[in-house]
Amino acid sequence: MKPTRLMLAGLGNVGRNFLQILRSQADLLRDRHGLRPIVVGVADSGGAAVDPAGLDLDALIAQKAAGRSVARMVKVGRPGMGAIDIARTVAADVLLEATPVNLQHGQPGLDIVRVALERGIHCVLANKGPLALAFQDLAARSDWDRPGLPALRFSACVGGALPTINLGRRDLAGARILKVEAIVNGTCQGILRAMEAGQDFAAAVAEMQRRGVAETDPSLDVDGWDQAVKLVIIANAVLRRPTVLSDLTVRGIRDVTADDLRKAAARGERIVLLGSATRDDPGADWRLTVEPTSLPMSHRLARMTGDEMGVVYYTDIAGVQHATSEEADAVPTAAAMLRDVISIST
Amino acid sequence: MKPTRLMLAGLGNVGRNFLQILRSQADLLRDRHGLRPIVVGVADSGGAAVDPAGLDLDALIAQKAAGRSVARMVKVGRPGMGAIDIARTVAADVLLEATPVNLQHGQPGLDIVRVALERGIHCVLANKGPLALAFQDLAARSDWDRPGLPALRFSACVGGALPTINLGRRDLAGARILKVEAIVNGTCQGILRAMEAGQDFAAAVAEMQRRGVAETDPSLDVDGWDQAVKLVIIANAVLRRPTVLSDLTVRGIRDVTADDLRKAAARGERIVLLGSATRDDPGADWRLTVEPTSLPMSHRLARMTGDEMGVVYYTDIAGVQHATSEEADAVPTAAAMLRDVISIST
């Protein structure tokens, strides 16, 4: 069984969880899919580690659990190299991009992905930044636009393991989408539901960080930017509308008070941070918004727990399709990356 | 654009709806997917019609709307031929199998599919019978078991447009499924919800038939067999457990009374016809059951309307994935067939 060579850029929560599921699911990958993935290169903020024969997964996991850079590992450590260097030089089949999100310039992720695609390496992203800033550019360099080019996949970018993109593109392949509604920022959902239960805002934020759900910079979540970026990705990938962040109207949950939540409950409603894509008719442009919204309890997305995310697609011939994902930590996000690796490799 | 040649066996509700969406989505298929499907053969209970250059879609739709067999169409009509004959002789890329379900011997659908696969023709099923009776046999004749063989797809067999199989296999490709719960018989869901609203059983059944949701023989729905067959398909296709109907414990909704429903509501619960796959540990066999079940209102599947179907997958690394589909008639089932045609052809 020829091994699938993976490179992993970024060893934060998602990257570390990905290494762990590579280990826990090894038998399943071999028996169910005939896959034998090996990690030939990794990079964290302190440097890189490289081994064309495949790095020792246990050693990698232990190194990160001890809080040490992979660059310090014996023999395989490369202190002078970073993620962009392994993207440029290491021979691999798939690069997994999980460096921190940056919404100003998208770096280092954007260059890492461009370099990898240029070299014919498939890319699996958990980092939303490159897609939010340069979707059409990356699409043009990948199988998104032309079948012969390397794959560009980003299941993990739109709500953890929630199969937002697959549902919208693959399952609704023959349908016209009339409207989309999404609650795909786990942090805001968790904060609002915790505030409903009596916790104060600051404590709720801290809890989401402790669980590894919040972004490195939680204001990206709280001010609605994370959800907005996901809506940008949905608009590009599912609605096939070239979209950038400035096309959206965005408002976060900073001004939502416990009193607002109480009043909504009294009305039989629930306040959520809702992302939506709507339009008055098929010929008009989409209206793309992220804002706190009071939903009637009868709405599909009004009854999710603090750990759930969901999306609703209203269509012409395929009825109304709805999906939710319940996730307590960052493991399912890593599972979504694994979904993409399997899809590319089989 | 080379046309994709389709054959359609069965022109009941689903078949007729499929013809209509081929027409309504023609532009979308061409512009979004580069597909130009033509129907080269069709068969209904009165005979067949064949045209290698592609049958006139408007004429076909009009013929069926007028209640006439396609065999009576001028020039293209073939009174002496049936579905098995077009499956044997017509040159086509994809056969769509939508003849009535038969759970005793699976005919004529089972032979039609075998003949088509033998000829290298891809098969898209809306007819559950062949899969319930002979899943492993059909899998062995198709790309399910070996990549070079023709495709076998059945999105439309497991809850209308609900992407039950795609969710379980593709989105959870790297995960272990721990438990499955499904409400995928629209007729029983509709009947129970109508009875909750005060309608009596017989009137509720008649309504589901009028809307084209109930099976040709409604006892298949009411006695739980339709849901059971869908669970057989899920067990084979998603849980990868060779399964036949006799492996399941099945009880339908015939004995559920309006009083039962009222008492459940008073307890804060809801009675549904639930299909489940559970097991005590990964090494044990699956327990597969279909039975009326009282769910707490907090359960994901307890709050669906009479037009909704849903499935829940509990997993090891991908959290809990849940999907619902709201469908008022048989059009979304046809949309699911179109999903498969697109997936095969692109």
Side-chain angles (χ1 to χ4, degrees):
Chain A
M1 195 180 297
K2 199 162 137 271
T4 305
R5 300 160 305 170
L6 309 180
M7 283 199 270
L8 182 43
L11 286 174
N13 257 326
V14 174
R16 291 197 305 273
N17 275 311
F18 184 80
L19 290 177
Q20 291 190 330
I21 65 172
L22 264 194
R23 184 168 63 180
S24 68
Q25 314 302 91
D27 288 353
L28 180 158
L29 291 170
R30 180 196 63 222
D31 299 337
R32 190 188 286 183
H33 299 291
L35 284 180
R36 187 164 78 78
I38 61 172
V39 181
V40 294
V42 290
D44 58 27
S45 53
V50 177
D51 187 347
L55 293 157
D56 183 326
L57 211 50
D58 291 335
L60 277 176
I61 290 169
Q63 185 79 352
K64 295 314 298 175
R68 293 192 297 264
S69 168
V70 294
R72 294 171 54 196
M73 289 172 74
V74 175
K75 258 203 260 180
V76 296
R78 302 283 183 270
M81 293 180 77
I84 193 74
D85 304 298
I86 61 170
R88 274 201 188 108
T89 62
V90 172
D93 301 302
V94 187
L95 180 140
L96 292 96
E97 194 353 85
T99 58
V101 174
N102 178 292
L103 294 186
Q104 273 68 56
H105 44 65
Q107 303 299 0
L110 184 49
D111 280 351
I112 289 166
V113 174
R114 279 177 175 146
V115 161
L117 290 175
E118 187 68 37
R119 292 182 62 213
I121 296 170
H122 305 300
C123 288
V124 171
L125 277 62
N127 175 7
K128 299 171 279 290
L131 297 165
L133 294 173
F135 190 100
Q136 298 300 322
D137 173 78
L138 295 177
R141 300 165 185 261
S142 68
D143 72 344
W144 210 258
D145 271 13
R146 268 182 297 156
L149 295 178
L152 176 73
R153 299 284 181 272
F154 40 91
S155 280
C157 288
V158 224
L162 185 69
T164 314
I165 304 298
N166 280 352
L167 186 60
R169 279 188 72 90
R170 172 201 66 203
D171 300 317
L172 299 176
R176 289 180 187 87
I177 292 167
L178 308 175
K179 182 165 77 167
V180 187
E181 289 169 334
I183 297 175
V184 282
N185 179 263
T187 301
C188 287
Q189 176 69 358
I191 290 170
L192 290 172
R193 308 298 54 99
M195 284 171 68
E196 265 168 359
Q199 211 179 26
D200 71 56
F201 181 82
V205 172
E207 170 65 13
M208 299 313 288
Q209 286 181 295
R210 191 194 62 73
R211 292 196 339 199
V213 173
E215 289 290 323
T216 313
D217 173 2
S219 65
L220 283 181
D221 297 298
V222 167
D223 291 322
W225 296 117
D226 178 80
Q227 174 117 317
V229 158
K230 286 163 178 166
L231 189 55
V232 166
I233 295 170
I234 293 170
N236 275 287
V238 176
L239 304 179
R240 298 170 176 83
R241 177 199 187 282
T243 303
V244 291
L245 209 45
S246 54
D247 294 342
L248 276 60
T249 304
V250 182
R251 189 159 58 86
I253 61 166
R254 241 180 236 290
D255 297 332
V256 178
T257 64
D259 199 48
D260 292 329
L261 294 166
R262 252 191 306 272
K263 286 186 175 139
R267 286 194 306 269
E269 297 185 346
R270 211 151 192 228
I271 295 177
V272 298
L273 185 66
L274 191 72
S276 28
T278 55
R279 60 183 177 184
D280 295 324
D281 61 75
D285 191 14
W286 289 95
R287 213 167 22 245
L288 303 166
T289 61
V290 172
E291 57 190 346
T293 308
S294 192
L295 295 178
M297 284 308 282
S298 56
H299 192 288
R300 286 168 185 83
L301 298 179
R303 296 172 307 234
M304 302 192 300
T305 67
D307 290 340
E308 282 183 279
M309 291 179 286
V311 64
V312 187
Y313 288 110
Y314 301 80
T315 80
D316 60 348
I317 61 165
V320 180
Q321 298 301 314
H322 156 236
T324 71
S325 178
E326 184 171 49
E327 311 179 12
D329 51 37
V331 175
T333 299
M337 296 186 90
L338 185 57
R339 167 198 308 157
D340 287 346
V341 170
I342 294 167
S343 167
I344 288 170
S345 312
T346 59
Chain B
M1 196 180 295
K2 197 161 138 275
T4 305
R5 301 161 304 171
L6 310 180
M7 282 198 272
L8 181 44
L11 286 174
N13 256 325
V14 174
R16 290 197 305 272
N17 275 310
F18 184 79
L19 290 177
Q20 291 189 335
I21 67 172
L22 263 194
R23 184 168 63 179
S24 69
Q25 314 303 89
D27 289 352
L28 180 158
L29 291 170
R30 180 195 63 220
D31 300 338
R32 191 188 285 182
H33 298 292
L35 285 180
R36 188 164 77 80
I38 60 172
V39 181
V40 294
V42 290
D44 58 26
S45 53
V50 176
D51 187 347
L55 293 158
D56 183 327
L57 210 50
D58 291 335
L60 276 176
I61 290 169
Q63 186 78 353
K64 296 313 298 177
R68 292 191 297 264
S69 168
V70 295
R72 294 170 54 194
M73 288 171 75
V74 175
K75 256 203 262 180
V76 298
R78 302 283 183 271
M81 293 179 77
I84 192 73
D85 305 298
I86 61 170
R88 274 201 188 108
T89 62
V90 172
D93 302 302
V94 187
L95 181 139
L96 292 96
E97 196 348 91
T99 58
V101 174
N102 178 293
L103 295 186
Q104 273 68 55
H105 44 64
Q107 303 300 359
L110 184 50
D111 280 351
I112 288 167
V113 174
R114 278 178 176 144
V115 161
L117 290 175
E118 187 66 38
R119 293 181 63 214
I121 296 171
H122 305 298
C123 288
V124 171
L125 277 62
N127 175 6
K128 300 171 279 289
L131 297 165
L133 293 174
F135 190 100
Q136 298 299 324
D137 173 78
L138 295 177
R141 300 165 186 261
S142 69
D143 72 343
W144 208 259
D145 272 12
R146 267 182 299 154
L149 295 178
L152 176 71
R153 300 285 180 272
F154 39 90
S155 279
C157 288
V158 222
L162 185 69
T164 314
I165 304 299
N166 281 352
L167 186 61
R169 279 187 72 89
R170 292 183 206 180
D171 299 319
L172 299 176
R176 288 182 188 86
I177 292 167
L178 308 175
K179 181 165 78 167
V180 188
E181 290 169 334
I183 297 175
V184 282
N185 179 264
T187 301
C188 287
Q189 176 69 358
I191 290 170
L192 289 172
R193 309 295 59 98
M195 284 172 68
E196 264 169 2
Q199 211 178 26
D200 71 58
F201 181 81
V205 173
E207 170 67 13
M208 300 312 288
Q209 285 180 297
R210 190 194 64 73
R211 292 199 337 203
V213 173
E215 288 290 323
T216 314
D217 173 3
S219 65
L220 283 181
D221 297 299
V222 167
D223 292 321
W225 296 116
D226 178 81
Q227 173 117 319
V229 159
K230 287 164 178 167
L231 188 55
V232 165
I233 295 171
I234 292 170
N236 275 287
V238 177
L239 303 180
R240 299 169 175 84
R241 177 200 187 281
T243 303
V244 291
L245 210 45
S246 53
D247 294 343
L248 276 60
T249 303
V250 182
R251 189 158 59 86
I253 62 166
R254 244 181 233 289
D255 296 333
V256 177
T257 64
D259 199 47
D260 292 329
L261 294 166
R262 253 190 307 272
K263 286 187 174 138
R267 284 194 310 268
E269 296 185 350
R270 213 156 191 222
I271 295 177
V272 298
L273 184 67
L274 191 72
S276 27
T278 55
R279 60 183 176 184
D280 295 325
D281 62 73
D285 191 14
W286 289 96
R287 212 166 24 241
L288 304 166
T289 62
V290 172
E291 56 190 347
T293 308
S294 192
L295 296 176
M297 285 308 283
S298 56
H299 192 289
R300 285 169 186 81
L301 297 179
R303 298 172 306 235
M304 303 193 298
T305 67
D307 290 341
E308 283 183 277
M309 292 178 287
V311 63
V312 188
Y313 288 111
Y314 302 80
T315 79
D316 60 348
I317 62 163
V320 180
Q321 298 302 313
H322 155 235
T324 72
S325 177
E326 184 172 48
E327 311 180 13
D329 51 35
V331 175
T333 299
M337 295 186 91
L338 185 57
R339 167 198 308 158
D340 287 347
V341 170
I342 294 167
S343 166
I344 287 170
S345 311
T346 60

